[in-house]
């Protein structure tokens, strides 16, 4: 029987990568303590700052919101209605669970429905713009970045927090390393500083394994959507995650080492050569967010194109 490292009773979670097992009570203390440590270490935000958490109804974003509230931060949520159906009415179900989570804890949740706001759901936009070869993910990613940033800025939040975990970060890193994407490698970080018109972005869960977040959500009684977005099936990032899991099975801790050593290498200047970062030099004439195009940003251009066709 595995015993809790702190109190010696039967452990509920065994973390081979940390060579540590904890009981429920100590696990539910340990995760927020560690999160606080990462927030301070990477200088993500201060106590007096207003945080906007991007919530999707999944285990990571709801756990993040829960942890920040437990730690006493001022954190509101924002949910983006994408209009994605799939077998489980993915968007509908995830919105319901997010609303329920906020109501039960008396938290403030902003809901933005892309279709109501722009007259088109994400799948409709993807179809009309023919972006993404049948998958709406590129349109979805563009819309999420644009809208999250817009809400954070318009409503006066200091920082936008997302629930990316270690598995997400390691998979992105793996992909960018395979093709040595210098610009992306340079930008991948637990904190992206605010820059002209873009909100500061932070990932407080970036050092937690996905299974540890699932354990946290389960043990703290958070009801979340188990299904992934139907469009994520067969994606490259899922393939990379599976590969990294195989490696992790053989060498517990490999994923964490891969990510942490990358951050260290970056800090010590591995990518410090001035890589030509393609950077926004203009502000979009419609929404005011930074863009490299002289008139409209990619999101506003897409919306304009689709409305002209209607
Ligand atoms: S990008 Fe693609 Fe995700 Fe959007 S359409 Fe679904 S899978 S939700 S992370
Ligand atoms: Zn214990
Ligand atoms: Zn714009």
């Amino acid at each position: 029987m595995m015993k809790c490292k702190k109190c010696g009773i039967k452990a509920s979670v065994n973390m081979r990568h940390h060579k540590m097992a904890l009981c429920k009570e100590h696990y539910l203390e340990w995760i927020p303590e560690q999160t606080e440590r990462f927030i301070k270490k990477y200088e993500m935000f201060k106590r007096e700052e207003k945080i906007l958490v991007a919530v999707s109804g999944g285990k990571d974003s709801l756990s993040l919101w829960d942890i920040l509230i437990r730690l006493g931060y001022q954190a509101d949520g924002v949910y983006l209605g994408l209009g994605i159906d799939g077998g489980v009415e993915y968007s509908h179900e995830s919105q319901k669970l997010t609303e329920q989570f906020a109501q039960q804890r008396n938290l403030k949740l902003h809901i933005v429905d892309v279709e109501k706001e722009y007259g088109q759901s994400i799948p409709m936009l993807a179809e009309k713009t023919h972006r993404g070869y049948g998958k709406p993910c590129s349109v979805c990613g563009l819309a999420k970045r644009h809208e999250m940033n817009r809400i954070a800025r318009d409503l006066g939040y200091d920082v936008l927090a997302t629930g990316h975990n270690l598995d997400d970060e390691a998979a992105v890193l793996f992909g960018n390393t395979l093709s040595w994407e210098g610009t992306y490698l340079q930008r991948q970080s637990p904190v992206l500083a605010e820059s002209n018109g873009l909100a500061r972005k932070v990932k407080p869960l970036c050092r937690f394994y996905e299974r540890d977040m699932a354990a946290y959500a389960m043990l703290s009684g958070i009801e979340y959507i188990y299904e992934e977005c139907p469009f994520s099936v067969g994606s490259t990032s899922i393939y990379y995650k599976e590969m990294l899991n195989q490696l992790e099975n053989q060498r517990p801790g490999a994923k964490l080492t891969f990510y942490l050593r990358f951050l260290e290498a970056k800090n010590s200047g591995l990518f410090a050569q001035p890589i030509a970062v393609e950077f926004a030099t203009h502000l979009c004439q419609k929404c005011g967010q930074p863009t490299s195009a002289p008139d409209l940003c990619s999101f506003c251009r897409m919306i304009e194109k689709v409305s002209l066709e209607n």
Side-chain angles (χ1 to χ4, degrees):
M1 181 184 87
M2 293 295 296
K3 287 184 180 168
C4 171
K5 189 187 170 190
K6 301 209 170 167
C7 68
I9 70 165
K10 186 173 179 291
S12 295
V13 186
N14 177 23
M15 292 175 282
R16 279 172 74 205
H17 41 273
H18 291 309
K19 297 191 180 69
M20 182 169 78
L22 292 171
C23 69
K24 176 180 171 182
E25 187 195 333
H26 285 119
Y27 189 72
L28 291 179
E29 270 174 27
W30 184 80
I31 292 275
E33 274 166 22
Q34 291 295 305
T35 312
E36 179 80 319
R37 194 164 77 79
F38 306 149
I39 291 170
K40 296 220 165 86
K41 179 176 170 61
Y42 299 112
E43 301 179 348
M44 293 187 178
F45 40 76
K46 301 201 186 74
R47 227 144 253 290
E48 61 276 14
E49 289 188 300
K50 274 179 70 189
I51 305 157
L52 184 63
V53 186
V55 275
S56 66
K59 63 182 184 319
D60 303 298
S61 55
L62 290 181
S63 295
L64 171 61
W65 201 4
D66 177 272
I67 293 167
L68 294 180
I69 295 299
R70 276 178 203 238
L71 290 171
Y73 286 102
Q74 314 171 51
D76 296 343
V78 58
Y79 175 88
L80 203 56
L82 306 166
I84 292 174
D85 287 341
V88 285
E89 281 213 43
Y90 176 75
S91 286
H92 177 251
E93 192 60 22
S94 57
Q95 180 168 342
K96 204 179 85 190
L97 290 168
T98 308
E99 284 176 324
Q100 178 186 306
F101 177 94
Q103 269 161 18
Q104 285 167 350
R105 293 158 181 83
N106 215 1
L107 301 174
K108 187 164 173 187
L109 172 67
H110 307 281
I111 295 183
V112 182
D113 190 304
V114 175
E115 190 170 348
K116 279 191 198 134
E117 201 76 27
Y118 299 99
Q120 320 275 337
S121 68
I122 296 294
M124 285 155 81
L125 278 172
E127 205 184 304
K128 292 191 177 160
T129 52
H130 309 290
R131 285 172 71 136
Y133 312 101
K135 274 206 176 202
C137 295
S138 79
V139 168
C140 181
L142 175 65
K144 280 197 238 175
R145 281 191 300 278
H146 187 274
E147 290 302 282
M148 293 298 177
N149 196 59
R150 178 175 69 84
I151 309 293
R153 186 193 61 183
D154 290 0
L155 301 180
Y157 287 93
D158 297 295
V159 54
L160 178 66
T162 57
H164 295 97
N165 58 40
L166 176 67
D167 294 47
D168 299 321
E169 291 301 295
V172 169
L173 176 59
F174 188 62
N176 288 340
T177 308
L178 278 181
S179 49
W180 290 112
E181 296 280 2
T183 309
Y184 290 134
L185 286 167
Q186 204 178 33
R187 277 175 60 83
Q188 187 176 359
S189 164
V191 184
L192 272 184
E194 183 179 348
S195 66
N196 58 340
L198 288 178
R200 186 188 333 150
K201 296 200 183 81
V202 297
K203 300 169 184 167
L205 307 182
C206 65
R207 290 176 58 160
F208 291 120
Y209 281 71
E210 179 167 345
R211 63 184 289 274
D212 295 344
M213 290 324 298
Y216 180 84
M218 206 188 76
L219 292 175
S220 51
I222 295 172
E223 277 190 70
Y224 61 90
I225 185 156
Y226 291 99
E227 287 79 13
E228 299 282 343
C229 169
F231 293 109
S232 68
V233 178
S235 69
T236 329
S237 73
I238 291 193
Y239 175 61
Y240 291 160
K241 282 182 184 177
E242 285 166 1
M243 288 186 69
L244 290 164
N245 282 342
Q246 284 184 22
L247 180 66
E248 180 76 25
N249 277 339
Q250 298 297 322
R251 292 173 45 198
K255 233 184 279 185
L256 186 59
T257 307
F258 178 51
Y259 181 61
L260 292 184
R261 291 277 160 82
F262 157 71
L263 293 182
E264 279 169 26
K266 203 156 70 105
N267 261 348
S268 60
L270 183 64
F271 304 104
Q273 287 300 320
I275 294 170
V277 181
E278 182 210 327
F279 217 69
T281 41
H282 307 273
L283 293 182
C284 170
Q285 288 170 5
K286 197 161 159 206
C287 72
Q289 294 195 31
T291 168
S292 48
D295 44 8
L296 297 181
C297 72
S298 340
F299 181 80
C300 293
R301 213 175 325 129
M302 171 177 76
I303 297 293
E304 196 176 79
K305 185 166 168 249
V306 169
S307 8
L308 286 177
E309 281 169 5
N310 276 338

